[in-house]
PDB file of all heavy atoms in Angstrom:
ATOM      1  N   VAL A 116     -42.602 -26.765 149.170  1.00  0.00           N
ATOM      2  CA  VAL A 116     -41.808 -27.896 149.656  1.00  0.00           C
ATOM      3  C   VAL A 116     -42.328 -29.208 149.067  1.00  0.00           C
ATOM      4  O   VAL A 116     -41.541 -30.046 148.589  1.00  0.00           O
ATOM      5  CB  VAL A 116     -41.828 -27.942 151.203  1.00  0.00           C
ATOM      6  CG1 VAL A 116     -41.211 -29.242 151.719  1.00  0.00           C
ATOM      7  CG2 VAL A 116     -41.062 -26.746 151.784  1.00  0.00           C
ATOM      8  N   LEU A 117     -43.633 -29.403 149.094  1.00  0.00           N
ATOM      9  CA  LEU A 117     -44.203 -30.643 148.576  1.00  0.00           C
ATOM     10  C   LEU A 117     -44.023 -30.752 147.057  1.00  0.00           C
ATOM     11  O   LEU A 117     -43.755 -31.843 146.540  1.00  0.00           O
ATOM     12  CB  LEU A 117     -45.685 -30.739 148.938  1.00  0.00           C
ATOM     13  CG  LEU A 117     -45.990 -30.955 150.422  1.00  0.00           C
ATOM     14  CD1 LEU A 117     -47.494 -30.914 150.660  1.00  0.00           C
ATOM     15  CD2 LEU A 117     -45.415 -32.269 150.928  1.00  0.00           C
ATOM     16  N   ALA A 118     -44.163 -29.638 146.356  1.00  0.00           N
ATOM     17  CA  ALA A 118     -43.970 -29.672 144.907  1.00  0.00           C
ATOM     18  C   ALA A 118     -42.536 -30.081 144.571  1.00  0.00           C
ATOM     19  O   ALA A 118     -42.308 -30.887 143.651  1.00  0.00           O
ATOM     20  CB  ALA A 118     -44.293 -28.303 144.306  1.00  0.00           C
ATOM     21  N   TYR A 119     -41.588 -29.556 145.324  1.00  0.00           N
ATOM     22  CA  TYR A 119     -40.193 -29.909 145.058  1.00  0.00           C
ATOM     23  C   TYR A 119     -39.924 -31.359 145.462  1.00  0.00           C
ATOM     24  O   TYR A 119     -39.143 -32.060 144.806  1.00  0.00           O
ATOM     25  CB  TYR A 119     -39.252 -28.956 145.782  1.00  0.00           C
ATOM     26  CG  TYR A 119     -37.813 -29.066 145.325  1.00  0.00           C
ATOM     27  CD1 TYR A 119     -37.498 -29.164 143.975  1.00  0.00           C
ATOM     28  CD2 TYR A 119     -36.769 -29.082 146.239  1.00  0.00           C
ATOM     29  CE1 TYR A 119     -36.188 -29.269 143.543  1.00  0.00           C
ATOM     30  CE2 TYR A 119     -35.452 -29.188 145.822  1.00  0.00           C
ATOM     31  CZ  TYR A 119     -35.165 -29.284 144.478  1.00  0.00           C
ATOM     32  OH  TYR A 119     -33.863 -29.400 144.055  1.00  0.00           O
ATOM     33  N   ALA A 120     -40.576 -31.817 146.528  1.00  0.00           N
ATOM     34  CA  ALA A 120     -40.421 -33.217 146.931  1.00  0.00           C
ATOM     35  C   ALA A 120     -40.889 -34.147 145.819  1.00  0.00           C
ATOM     36  O   ALA A 120     -40.278 -35.201 145.566  1.00  0.00           O
ATOM     37  CB  ALA A 120     -41.207 -33.485 148.214  1.00  0.00           C
ATOM     38  N   LEU A 121     -41.958 -33.779 145.130  1.00  0.00           N
ATOM     39  CA  LEU A 121     -42.452 -34.595 144.021  1.00  0.00           C
ATOM     40  C   LEU A 121     -41.480 -34.570 142.848  1.00  0.00           C
ATOM     41  O   LEU A 121     -41.269 -35.589 142.194  1.00  0.00           O
ATOM     42  CB  LEU A 121     -43.830 -34.094 143.587  1.00  0.00           C
ATOM     43  CG  LEU A 121     -44.981 -34.433 144.544  1.00  0.00           C
ATOM     44  CD1 LEU A 121     -46.217 -33.606 144.214  1.00  0.00           C
ATOM     45  CD2 LEU A 121     -45.301 -35.925 144.483  1.00  0.00           C
ATOM     46  N   VAL A 122     -40.877 -33.409 142.587  1.00  0.00           N
ATOM     47  CA  VAL A 122     -39.865 -33.319 141.529  1.00  0.00           C
ATOM     48  C   VAL A 122     -38.690 -34.231 141.856  1.00  0.00           C
ATOM     49  O   VAL A 122     -38.210 -34.986 140.993  1.00  0.00           O
ATOM     50  CB  VAL A 122     -39.381 -31.865 141.371  1.00  0.00           C
ATOM     51  CG1 VAL A 122     -38.146 -31.798 140.461  1.00  0.00           C
ATOM     52  CG2 VAL A 122     -40.495 -30.992 140.806  1.00  0.00           C
ATOM     53  N   LEU A 123     -38.219 -34.182 143.096  1.00  0.00           N
ATOM     54  CA  LEU A 123     -37.097 -35.024 143.498  1.00  0.00           C
ATOM     55  C   LEU A 123     -37.458 -36.507 143.392  1.00  0.00           C
ATOM     56  O   LEU A 123     -36.630 -37.327 142.989  1.00  0.00           O
ATOM     57  CB  LEU A 123     -36.669 -34.691 144.927  1.00  0.00           C
ATOM     58  CG  LEU A 123     -36.077 -33.288 145.138  1.00  0.00           C
ATOM     59  CD1 LEU A 123     -35.796 -33.064 146.623  1.00  0.00           C
ATOM     60  CD2 LEU A 123     -34.810 -33.107 144.319  1.00  0.00           C
ATOM     61  N   ALA A 124     -38.692 -36.845 143.761  1.00  0.00           N
ATOM     62  CA  ALA A 124     -39.124 -38.239 143.674  1.00  0.00           C
ATOM     63  C   ALA A 124     -39.121 -38.715 142.229  1.00  0.00           C
ATOM     64  O   ALA A 124     -38.710 -39.843 141.927  1.00  0.00           O
ATOM     65  CB  ALA A 124     -40.515 -38.396 144.289  1.00  0.00           C
ATOM     66  N   ASP A 125     -39.566 -37.847 141.313  1.00  0.00           N
ATOM     67  CA  ASP A 125     -39.557 -38.203 139.889  1.00  0.00           C
ATOM     68  C   ASP A 125     -38.128 -38.420 139.399  1.00  0.00           C
ATOM     69  O   ASP A 125     -37.847 -39.342 138.607  1.00  0.00           O
ATOM     70  CB  ASP A 125     -40.224 -37.104 139.068  1.00  0.00           C
ATOM     71  CG  ASP A 125     -41.732 -37.118 139.198  1.00  0.00           C
ATOM     72  OD1 ASP A 125     -42.281 -38.152 139.638  1.00  0.00           O
ATOM     73  OD2 ASP A 125     -42.364 -36.094 138.879  1.00  0.00           O
ATOM     74  N   GLU A 126     -37.219 -37.588 139.866  1.00  0.00           N
ATOM     75  CA  GLU A 126     -35.828 -37.711 139.441  1.00  0.00           C
ATOM     76  C   GLU A 126     -35.188 -38.992 139.951  1.00  0.00           C
ATOM     77  O   GLU A 126     -34.325 -39.577 139.297  1.00  0.00           O
ATOM     78  CB  GLU A 126     -35.027 -36.496 139.937  1.00  0.00           C
ATOM     79  CG  GLU A 126     -35.397 -35.202 139.235  1.00  0.00           C
ATOM     80  CD  GLU A 126     -34.660 -34.005 139.799  1.00  0.00           C
ATOM     81  OE1 GLU A 126     -33.959 -34.163 140.833  1.00  0.00           O
ATOM     82  OE2 GLU A 126     -34.769 -32.903 139.211  1.00  0.00           O
ATOM     83  N   GLU A 127     -35.651 -39.443 141.130  1.00  0.00           N
ATOM     84  CA  GLU A 127     -35.090 -40.660 141.722  1.00  0.00           C
ATOM     85  C   GLU A 127     -35.646 -41.913 141.069  1.00  0.00           C
ATOM     86  O   GLU A 127     -35.112 -43.011 141.260  1.00  0.00           O
ATOM     87  CB  GLU A 127     -35.366 -40.681 143.223  1.00  0.00           C
ATOM     88  CG  GLU A 127     -34.584 -39.616 143.993  1.00  0.00           C
ATOM     89  CD  GLU A 127     -35.067 -39.465 145.417  1.00  0.00           C
ATOM     90  OE1 GLU A 127     -35.964 -40.238 145.824  1.00  0.00           O
ATOM     91  OE2 GLU A 127     -34.563 -38.569 146.121  1.00  0.00           O
ATOM     92  N   GLY A 128     -36.727 -41.780 140.303  1.00  0.00           N
ATOM     93  CA  GLY A 128     -37.265 -42.934 139.598  1.00  0.00           C
ATOM     94  C   GLY A 128     -38.337 -43.665 140.379  1.00  0.00           C
ATOM     95  O   GLY A 128     -39.149 -43.052 141.074  1.00  0.00           O
ATOM     96  N   ASP A 129     -38.342 -44.971 140.292  1.00  0.00           N
ATOM     97  CA  ASP A 129     -39.395 -45.819 140.864  1.00  0.00           C
ATOM     98  C   ASP A 129     -39.588 -45.536 142.344  1.00  0.00           C
ATOM     99  O   ASP A 129     -38.659 -45.664 143.142  1.00  0.00           O
ATOM    100  CB  ASP A 129     -39.034 -47.290 140.656  1.00  0.00           C
ATOM    101  CG  ASP A 129     -40.113 -48.232 141.172  1.00  0.00           C
ATOM    102  OD1 ASP A 129     -41.260 -47.780 141.336  1.00  0.00           O
ATOM    103  OD2 ASP A 129     -39.796 -49.413 141.403  1.00  0.00           O
ATOM    104  N   GLN A 130     -40.819 -45.155 142.713  1.00  0.00           N
ATOM    105  CA  GLN A 130     -41.141 -44.883 144.112  1.00  0.00           C
ATOM    106  C   GLN A 130     -42.081 -45.941 144.685  1.00  0.00           C
ATOM    107  O   GLN A 130     -42.820 -45.680 145.640  1.00  0.00           O
ATOM    108  CB  GLN A 130     -41.771 -43.493 144.238  1.00  0.00           C
ATOM    109  CG  GLN A 130     -40.809 -42.361 143.940  1.00  0.00           C
ATOM    110  CD  GLN A 130     -39.694 -42.270 144.961  1.00  0.00           C
ATOM    111  OE1 GLN A 130     -39.935 -42.130 146.154  1.00  0.00           O
ATOM    112  NE2 GLN A 130     -38.467 -42.388 144.496  1.00  0.00           N
ATOM    113  N   THR A 131     -42.061 -47.138 144.108  1.00  0.00           N
ATOM    114  CA  THR A 131     -42.892 -48.220 144.616  1.00  0.00           C
ATOM    115  C   THR A 131     -42.568 -48.475 146.084  1.00  0.00           C
ATOM    116  O   THR A 131     -41.403 -48.591 146.463  1.00  0.00           O
ATOM    117  CB  THR A 131     -42.641 -49.516 143.819  1.00  0.00           C
ATOM    118  OG1 THR A 131     -42.963 -49.278 142.448  1.00  0.00           O
ATOM    119  CG2 THR A 131     -43.505 -50.648 144.351  1.00  0.00           C
ATOM    120  N   GLY A 132     -43.599 -48.537 146.892  1.00  0.00           N
ATOM    121  CA  GLY A 132     -43.382 -48.761 148.314  1.00  0.00           C
ATOM    122  C   GLY A 132     -43.103 -47.494 149.091  1.00  0.00           C
ATOM    123  O   GLY A 132     -42.674 -47.544 150.242  1.00  0.00           O
ATOM    124  N   SER A 133     -43.375 -46.337 148.481  1.00  0.00           N
ATOM    125  CA  SER A 133     -43.195 -45.051 149.146  1.00  0.00           C
ATOM    126  C   SER A 133     -44.534 -44.559 149.686  1.00  0.00           C
ATOM    127  O   SER A 133     -45.501 -44.427 148.930  1.00  0.00           O
ATOM    128  CB  SER A 133     -42.626 -44.020 148.171  1.00  0.00           C
ATOM    129  OG  SER A 133     -42.814 -42.708 148.640  1.00  0.00           O
ATOM    130  N   ALA A 134     -44.592 -44.282 150.988  1.00  0.00           N
ATOM    131  CA  ALA A 134     -45.816 -43.748 151.574  1.00  0.00           C
ATOM    132  C   ALA A 134     -46.120 -42.368 151.008  1.00  0.00           C
ATOM    133  O   ALA A 134     -47.276 -42.029 150.742  1.00  0.00           O
ATOM    134  CB  ALA A 134     -45.674 -43.690 153.097  1.00  0.00           C
ATOM    135  N   PHE A 135     -45.071 -41.568 150.819  1.00  0.00           N
ATOM    136  CA  PHE A 135     -45.261 -40.225 150.278  1.00  0.00           C
ATOM    137  C   PHE A 135     -45.841 -40.289 148.867  1.00  0.00           C
ATOM    138  O   PHE A 135     -46.807 -39.582 148.547  1.00  0.00           O
ATOM    139  CB  PHE A 135     -43.929 -39.475 150.277  1.00  0.00           C
ATOM    140  CG  PHE A 135     -44.000 -38.109 149.669  1.00  0.00           C
ATOM    141  CD1 PHE A 135     -44.646 -37.074 150.322  1.00  0.00           C
ATOM    142  CD2 PHE A 135     -43.417 -37.851 148.434  1.00  0.00           C
ATOM    143  CE1 PHE A 135     -44.719 -35.799 149.760  1.00  0.00           C
ATOM    144  CE2 PHE A 135     -43.479 -36.588 147.864  1.00  0.00           C
ATOM    145  CZ  PHE A 135     -44.130 -35.559 148.530  1.00  0.00           C
ATOM    146  N   ALA A 136     -45.271 -41.125 148.016  1.00  0.00           N
ATOM    147  CA  ALA A 136     -45.767 -41.231 146.643  1.00  0.00           C
ATOM    148  C   ALA A 136     -47.200 -41.735 146.609  1.00  0.00           C
ATOM    149  O   ALA A 136     -47.965 -41.391 145.699  1.00  0.00           O
ATOM    150  CB  ALA A 136     -44.864 -42.160 145.838  1.00  0.00           C
ATOM    151  N   ALA A 137     -47.585 -42.536 147.599  1.00  0.00           N
ATOM    152  CA  ALA A 137     -48.945 -43.073 147.638  1.00  0.00           C
ATOM    153  C   ALA A 137     -49.983 -42.000 147.930  1.00  0.00           C
ATOM    154  O   ALA A 137     -51.143 -42.115 147.510  1.00  0.00           O
ATOM    155  CB  ALA A 137     -49.041 -44.179 148.690  1.00  0.00           C
ATOM    156  N   LEU A 138     -49.579 -40.932 148.637  1.00  0.00           N
ATOM    157  CA  LEU A 138     -50.562 -39.946 149.103  1.00  0.00           C
ATOM    158  C   LEU A 138     -50.327 -38.528 148.593  1.00  0.00           C
ATOM    159  O   LEU A 138     -51.118 -37.631 148.891  1.00  0.00           O
ATOM    160  CB  LEU A 138     -50.577 -39.943 150.637  1.00  0.00           C
ATOM    161  CG  LEU A 138     -51.053 -41.243 151.273  1.00  0.00           C
ATOM    162  CD1 LEU A 138     -50.960 -41.164 152.790  1.00  0.00           C
ATOM    163  CD2 LEU A 138     -52.484 -41.573 150.842  1.00  0.00           C
ATOM    164  N   ALA A 139     -49.264 -38.304 147.871  1.00  0.00           N
ATOM    165  CA  ALA A 139     -48.967 -36.962 147.373  1.00  0.00           C
ATOM    166  C   ALA A 139     -49.215 -36.877 145.870  1.00  0.00           C
ATOM    167  O   ALA A 139     -48.990 -37.860 145.158  1.00  0.00           O
ATOM    168  CB  ALA A 139     -47.520 -36.596 147.690  1.00  0.00           C
ATOM    169  N   PRO A 140     -49.627 -35.711 145.371  1.00  0.00           N
ATOM    170  CA  PRO A 140     -49.977 -34.527 146.157  1.00  0.00           C
ATOM    171  C   PRO A 140     -51.342 -34.699 146.813  1.00  0.00           C
ATOM    172  O   PRO A 140     -52.185 -35.459 146.315  1.00  0.00           O
ATOM    173  CB  PRO A 140     -50.014 -33.420 145.091  1.00  0.00           C
ATOM    174  CG  PRO A 140     -50.432 -34.136 143.838  1.00  0.00           C
ATOM    175  CD  PRO A 140     -49.774 -35.486 143.920  1.00  0.00           C
ATOM    176  N   PRO A 141     -51.581 -34.010 147.929  1.00  0.00           N
ATOM    177  CA  PRO A 141     -52.886 -34.140 148.577  1.00  0.00           C
ATOM    178  C   PRO A 141     -54.001 -33.580 147.695  1.00  0.00           C
ATOM    179  O   PRO A 141     -53.785 -32.630 146.935  1.00  0.00           O
ATOM    180  CB  PRO A 141     -52.727 -33.315 149.867  1.00  0.00           C
ATOM    181  CG  PRO A 141     -51.603 -32.373 149.585  1.00  0.00           C
ATOM    182  CD  PRO A 141     -50.690 -33.087 148.640  1.00  0.00           C
ATOM    183  N   TYR A 142     -55.174 -34.188 147.803  1.00  0.00           N
ATOM    184  CA  TYR A 142     -56.322 -33.741 147.022  1.00  0.00           C
ATOM    185  C   TYR A 142     -56.830 -32.422 147.590  1.00  0.00           C
ATOM    186  O   TYR A 142     -57.156 -32.323 148.774  1.00  0.00           O
ATOM    187  CB  TYR A 142     -57.426 -34.802 147.069  1.00  0.00           C
ATOM    188  CG  TYR A 142     -58.685 -34.409 146.342  1.00  0.00           C
ATOM    189  CD1 TYR A 142     -58.658 -34.043 144.995  1.00  0.00           C
ATOM    190  CD2 TYR A 142     -59.915 -34.424 146.987  1.00  0.00           C
ATOM    191  CE1 TYR A 142     -59.821 -33.690 144.311  1.00  0.00           C
ATOM    192  CE2 TYR A 142     -61.086 -34.087 146.316  1.00  0.00           C
ATOM    193  CZ  TYR A 142     -61.030 -33.715 144.983  1.00  0.00           C
ATOM    194  OH  TYR A 142     -62.186 -33.370 144.316  1.00  0.00           O
ATOM    195  N   GLU A 143     -56.892 -31.402 146.724  1.00  0.00           N
ATOM    196  CA  GLU A 143     -57.268 -30.059 147.150  1.00  0.00           C
ATOM    197  C   GLU A 143     -58.256 -29.466 146.145  1.00  0.00           C
ATOM    198  O   GLU A 143     -57.879 -28.668 145.280  1.00  0.00           O
ATOM    199  CB  GLU A 143     -56.022 -29.173 147.274  1.00  0.00           C
ATOM    200  CG  GLU A 143     -55.025 -29.706 148.308  1.00  0.00           C
ATOM    201  CD  GLU A 143     -53.724 -28.930 148.337  1.00  0.00           C
ATOM    202  OE1 GLU A 143     -53.483 -28.116 147.417  1.00  0.00           O
ATOM    203  OE2 GLU A 143     -52.936 -29.130 149.289  1.00  0.00           O
ATOM    204  N   PRO A 144     -59.523 -29.856 146.242  1.00  0.00           N
ATOM    205  CA  PRO A 144     -60.510 -29.319 145.297  1.00  0.00           C
ATOM    206  C   PRO A 144     -60.667 -27.811 145.467  1.00  0.00           C
ATOM    207  O   PRO A 144     -60.342 -27.248 146.518  1.00  0.00           O
ATOM    208  CB  PRO A 144     -61.798 -30.062 145.676  1.00  0.00           C
ATOM    209  CG  PRO A 144     -61.601 -30.475 147.095  1.00  0.00           C
ATOM    210  CD  PRO A 144     -60.129 -30.753 147.240  1.00  0.00           C
ATOM    211  N   ASP A 145     -61.165 -27.157 144.418  1.00  0.00           N
ATOM    212  CA  ASP A 145     -61.398 -25.711 144.478  1.00  0.00           C
ATOM    213  C   ASP A 145     -62.239 -25.380 145.700  1.00  0.00           C
ATOM    214  O   ASP A 145     -63.230 -26.059 145.997  1.00  0.00           O
ATOM    215  CB  ASP A 145     -62.113 -25.232 143.212  1.00  0.00           C
ATOM    216  CG  ASP A 145     -61.217 -25.305 141.980  1.00  0.00           C
ATOM    217  OD1 ASP A 145     -59.988 -25.438 142.146  1.00  0.00           O
ATOM    218  OD2 ASP A 145     -61.765 -25.241 140.858  1.00  0.00           O
TER     219      ASP A 145
END
């Protein structure tokens, strides 16, 4: 779901001022 949300955000263009864009994808170290 999150991966697709990022794809959709890229398609929509500028995400300045988006809380989701500010924090996604979450940091997930090995």
Side-chain angles (χ1 to χ4, degrees):
V116 170
L117 291 175
Y119 192 43
L121 286 166
V122 169
L123 294 176
D125 285 342
E126 291 176 353
E127 291 169 4
D129 183 20
Q130 292 294 303
T131 300
S133 162
F135 177 71
L138 295 177
Y142 177 56
E143 299 174 348
D145 291 345

